[in-house]
Amino acid sequence: MKRKPISRRPPRREDRIANRKLPGRKFSLPEIIQGNPGSANPFGPGDIRRLWIGVFLVVFTVAAYLPVRHCDFVNYDDTGYVTVNGRVQNGLSVDNVKWAFTTFSAANWHPLTWISHMADMHFFGLNPAAHHLSSVFFHCINVLLLFLVLRRMTGAVWKSAAVAALFALHPQNVESVAWISERKNLLSTLFWLATMWSYVSYARMPSARRYLEVVMMMALGLMAKPMLVTLPFVLLLLDFWPLGQVQGLTSGRVPAGPGEPRYAPPRPIAVLLLEKVPLLALSVASALITLRAQENGQAIASLSAVPLAVRLENVVTSYAIYLYRMVWPVRLAIIYPFRIQGMAALQVAVSAVALVLITAWAVWRLRRQPYLAVGWFWFLGTLVPVIGLVQIGMQANADRYAYVPLIGIFIALAWAIGDWVERFPQARNLVAAATVACLLLLGLRTRDQIRYWHDSKALFNHAIDVVHDNFVAYNNLGQTVEIEGHYDQAYALYAKALQLKPNILYSSTLFNVGSLKLTEKKYNEAVGYFEDALRYPEGFRSTLITHQTLGAAYQAEHDYKHAEEHFREVMRLAPERAGNTRLNLAIMLAMRGRYDDAIVLYRENLAASEEPWTYFLLASAQEKTEDFVEAEKSLRSALRMKPNNIQYQKELQKVIVREAAKKSAAQN
């Protein structure tokens, strides 16, 4: 009996294209635009719609953010990052780049962020419009990268475009784009998405080179902002869906498209965890460096000053608040102050129940809708470093912290709605119209939110209007009007901030009032405010600066004993950062005739950093003690660094003459 021939299913066209050898030839522009399989199209194989989607995403993003070109720098971190930072204002140089990699300035270690600001200063100077448009450029790159990496992972063009559009236009992201100081957020996200892109290549065809690309991209991101410490966790989520790398759980895997390499076989979860170890090591190293920088920059509030129960209440409510603002992005402000007295019990309970129910639902739908769990745990996990378990700064939560986490929610929404449309295709047009209307409303709301970033006054007045008893905004608005010379208004705003001050964490206002009194030469009153600020320390930074300024106030009052006490306290608290204080104390001691003590301090400063002016001051003190030999050495060191300085040359000649006279007198 003849055996029936076994019918074999012919290979799919996509598989034939993927497996064939492509001839080495150049491609024409029409082939590139149309996305012929194997062409040089950066959007991958497919039709022209992918290119146009990318173009429209950029156009709409620019249209929404174009008003930012009229915004100024703001009196909140922009000073330290750009407007009064001498290193940044000097632009790009070898010395400045070296500084960027070694400094903990701004209570962070983020050399790429510093280099980005230096580049803006190098090419554009202090033109705020150019700095803002640079940030818009980075946001556009992030939007495009998000679209491309999602489409590459999932094969879903329109769902990926919807996520990218929500990310591009959501008003909660305005803070990250319109605030020049948040360049670090934009840069780190760029490398976050680049790491994901590299990881997809590695997942499809594992190799040491591709894995090294993943490590390098993540390392670069950590050098922009330590937000990437949770990225290994996100890559594990992507292993589950959509990459389907987990052995036994590959139902979510998207088949390789035409012209794309096939995926490697799924691997055991233990192997996937093991390959994340180098990335986790990067995260741990970054976290340790960041903690050191935060402690050195005095940004971490005392854990004893913020009880654990209060911090946990803030964690629960903040998660819920981020979701609420995503759905209803109104009354957004630059600062939402942390309140140490805790939150209302009902608010905490409702938030906790909501989080538990959403988590349970995502886990329950894990097999049928894996994207729900991936998106939800992306949101929960990526917020962990900034959710407030360790209280950093004065904010309870911040819109800028949602820049990456909300991507997870956008993914869950886009894929859930897309699946629903596939079940009910008759609703496709209705959903498309609703999506366009939603994006238009978000874009308009984004443009409206940008106008509050026009200048510092508009920013802080808006924060006062939308956040009840916003004592931080009152304080910062007081600083703004003080800079403008409106001292009476500044006093009134500081008084309001002190009236609303809800806890002992906020000494900045007391310090600001003292500084204003010092400016007005009311030294005795200034001393009182500085002493009060020391009794209510906001953190190490305020303590350090207050001791330094209080010493200056006592010095102005000719109370040199107390001035010396506070200057020496600065040197004890932070010897590596006390160079100016040590120099001021040495000058004060020399003026009081304590030359030997002054010489010791001058030498300590020179051991940390050789400066010609310090050598000159040291020589002056040595000359007063008639140690002309050492004075000559000090002046020659100063002239070695500044050989054409007339003052140093004249002083050297004077010392040489006096030294000769002293020798002559000794011989006689």
Side-chain angles (χ1 to χ4, degrees):
M1 189 170 85
K2 278 189 176 182
R3 295 178 62 185
K4 293 179 71 176
I6 299 173
S7 66
R8 297 185 180 274
R9 182 180 175 184
R12 294 182 307 160
R13 177 176 177 272
E14 295 85 50
D15 291 338
R16 293 199 305 272
I17 293 172
N19 294 327
R20 73 184 181 185
K21 290 185 177 179
L22 298 174
R25 65 182 180 87
K26 294 182 179 179
F27 296 95
S28 64
L29 184 60
E31 287 178 305
I32 293 173
I33 294 176
Q34 293 171 13
N36 276 353
S39 77
N41 184 358
F43 289 88
D47 55 38
I48 198 171
R49 66 180 176 177
R50 295 170 191 166
L51 176 62
W52 284 114
I53 288 171
V55 171
F56 284 134
L57 283 172
V58 171
V59 169
F60 291 147
T61 304
V62 171
Y65 278 96
L66 200 55
V68 82
R69 72 190 188 279
H70 300 302
C71 296
D72 202 350
F73 297 104
V74 297
N75 181 35
Y76 196 35
D77 286 359
D78 282 358
T79 50
Y81 274 98
V82 180
T83 57
V84 296
N85 188 311
R87 286 283 187 176
V88 170
Q89 291 194 12
N90 286 334
L92 291 171
S93 69
V94 173
D95 189 49
N96 284 347
V97 170
K98 186 188 299 183
W99 171 85
F101 277 91
T102 55
T103 185
F104 283 159
S105 185
N108 267 303
W109 184 75
H110 41 33
L112 293 189
T113 296
W114 289 122
I115 292 170
S116 169
H117 288 303
M118 289 173 188
D120 277 0
M121 282 298 305
H122 189 86
F123 294 109
F124 311 124
L126 272 175
N127 177 4
H131 289 255
H132 281 298
L133 291 176
S134 292
S135 294
V136 174
F137 168 77
F138 283 114
H139 183 52
C140 288
I141 296 298
N142 290 340
V143 170
L144 272 180
L145 269 176
L146 180 59
F147 167 63
L148 292 174
V149 75
L150 286 177
R151 188 211 63 82
R152 190 180 186 209
M153 287 193 300
T154 65
V157 175
W158 291 110
K159 294 173 187 175
S160 302
V163 172
L166 286 169
F167 175 74
L169 302 175
H170 200 281
Q172 208 164 348
N173 288 341
V174 167
E175 185 173 293
S176 294
V177 184
W179 193 2
I180 289 171
S181 297
E182 279 307 302
R183 176 68 57 78
K184 55 184 177 285
N185 213 17
L186 302 173
L187 277 177
S188 64
T189 304
L190 187 154
F191 288 109
W192 178 298
L193 296 169
T195 305
M196 287 174 56
W197 180 276
S198 298
Y199 188 73
V200 175
S201 297
Y202 170 77
R204 288 179 170 174
M205 193 177 292
S207 69
R209 180 183 64 81
R210 288 186 174 86
Y211 189 80
L212 184 60
E213 287 178 6
V214 175
V215 174
M216 288 179 60
M217 289 298 105
M218 181 173 169
L220 289 171
L222 290 169
M223 285 191 280
K225 186 181 180 181
M227 191 74 178
L228 279 81
V229 292
T230 58
L231 183 51
F233 162 77
V234 170
L235 296 181
L236 278 172
L237 291 176
L238 299 179
D239 283 334
F240 171 64
W241 181 90
L243 298 180
Q245 290 292 292
V246 185
Q247 201 171 70
L249 295 172
T250 58
S251 58
R253 170 179 286 200
V254 177
E260 296 177 341
R262 295 174 178 274
Y263 282 97
R267 289 163 287 168
I269 186 66
V271 174
L272 296 172
L273 286 170
L274 187 63
E275 73 180 13
K276 304 299 185 298
V277 169
L279 304 179
L280 288 169
L282 281 179
S283 295
V284 171
S286 177
L288 293 175
I289 293 171
T290 301
L291 283 174
R292 173 73 185 279
Q294 298 282 356
E295 290 171 356
N296 189 68
Q298 310 88 42
I300 299 179
S302 169
L303 296 183
S304 61
V306 188
L308 178 60
V310 175
R311 280 180 274 137
L312 290 176
E313 288 177 0
N314 183 62
V315 167
V316 172
T317 54
S318 291
Y319 272 119
I321 286 169
Y322 283 122
L323 290 175
Y324 173 78
R325 291 191 195 129
M326 185 208 70
V327 176
W328 193 248
V330 297
R331 300 179 68 82
L332 304 178
I334 188 174
I335 184 74
Y336 308 98
F338 187 93
R339 304 184 186 278
I340 200 169
Q341 69 269 29
M343 292 73 185
L346 180 61
Q347 182 183 8
V348 176
V350 170
S351 300
V353 169
L355 293 177
V356 169
L357 289 177
I358 296 173
T359 303
W361 181 57
V363 172
W364 178 55
R365 303 295 297 176
L366 190 63
R367 290 283 185 174
R368 293 187 179 182
Q369 296 173 292
Y371 48 78
L372 294 178
V374 169
W376 178 244
F377 288 114
W378 174 315
F379 170 72
L380 292 180
T382 54
L383 272 173
V384 166
V386 291
I387 201 62
L389 289 170
V390 176
Q391 184 58 33
I392 297 176
M394 287 306 303
Q395 68 283 340
N397 45 73
D399 294 337
R400 60 188 177 275
Y401 293 157
Y403 192 68
V404 168
L406 283 184
I407 293 174
I409 303 297
F410 296 153
I411 289 172
L413 284 175
W415 261 260
I417 294 171
D419 279 4
W420 185 81
V421 169
E422 288 174 8
R423 289 176 57 199
F424 303 100
Q426 63 272 21
R428 185 183 302 275
N429 292 336
L430 178 63
V431 170
T435 301
V436 171
C438 177
L439 292 174
L440 286 174
L441 288 174
L442 289 175
L444 292 173
R445 182 72 193 88
T446 288
R447 287 179 66 94
D448 183 64
Q449 185 66 24
I450 288 171
R451 66 190 177 95
Y452 298 119
W453 287 84
H454 183 269
D455 54 52
S456 298
K457 277 188 175 180
L459 187 64
F460 297 125
N461 273 315
H462 176 67
I464 289 169
D465 290 341
V466 301
V467 179
H468 180 63
D469 291 346
N470 197 332
F471 59 95
V472 181
Y474 276 110
N475 175 73
N476 290 353
L477 184 57
Q479 286 181 305
T480 301
V481 299
E482 179 187 340
I483 292 170
E484 295 176 349
H486 305 305
Y487 293 163
D488 291 340
Q489 291 182 38
Y491 278 127
L493 290 163
Y494 290 147
K496 184 66 175 177
L498 289 172
Q499 177 189 344
L500 297 172
K501 180 176 63 68
N503 54 62
I504 65 170
L505 284 177
Y506 200 57
S507 65
S508 295
T509 305
L510 292 168
F511 176 84
N512 289 339
V513 176
S515 297
L516 186 48
K517 295 287 186 183
L518 195 61
T519 301
E520 294 182 321
K521 299 184 179 180
K522 299 176 181 178
Y523 303 123
N524 190 46
E525 294 180 48
V527 164
Y529 279 101
F530 291 138
E531 294 283 8
D532 285 343
L534 285 175
R535 281 194 285 272
Y536 302 106
E538 177 187 331
F540 184 70
R541 174 174 53 187
S542 62
T543 304
L544 190 68
I545 296 173
T546 304
H547 275 298
Q548 189 172 7
T549 315
L550 183 53
Y554 275 122
Q555 184 179 3
E557 276 201 307
H558 307 293
D559 187 344
Y560 300 111
K561 177 184 175 183
H562 284 99
E564 182 178 352
E565 288 177 1
H566 288 285
F567 286 149
R568 289 196 180 277
E569 184 65 10
V570 173
M571 293 159 55
R572 184 189 69 80
L573 289 170
E576 73 284 356
R577 301 180 59 202
N580 289 335
T581 302
R582 191 183 295 111
L583 190 63
N584 290 339
L585 176 58
I587 293 170
M588 186 184 80
L589 294 177
M591 291 174 63
R592 301 289 297 163
R594 293 170 56 183
Y595 301 116
D596 290 334
D597 292 336
I599 287 170
V600 171
L601 294 173
Y602 287 137
R603 290 194 182 281
E604 287 179 4
N605 249 29
L606 287 169
S609 176
E610 288 191 286
E611 298 290 341
W613 178 244
T614 309
Y615 275 117
F616 177 77
L617 293 173
L618 174 61
S620 299
Q622 290 165 335
E623 190 177 353
K624 294 292 185 182
T625 61
E626 298 190 352
D627 190 351
F628 300 117
V629 174
E630 291 299 319
E632 181 181 349
K633 289 180 182 177
S634 298
L635 286 168
R636 290 194 184 280
S637 295
L639 281 167
R640 186 182 70 249
M641 301 171 77
K642 281 197 171 183
N644 298 322
N645 189 290
I646 302 299
Q647 184 181 14
Y648 299 168
Q649 292 172 357
K650 288 182 178 179
E651 194 65 27
L652 178 60
Q653 293 301 319
K654 189 170 96 173
V655 166
I656 291 172
V657 170
R658 293 193 65 185
E659 183 182 353
K662 183 179 178 181
K663 286 181 180 178
S664 176
Q667 289 172 358
N668 294 332

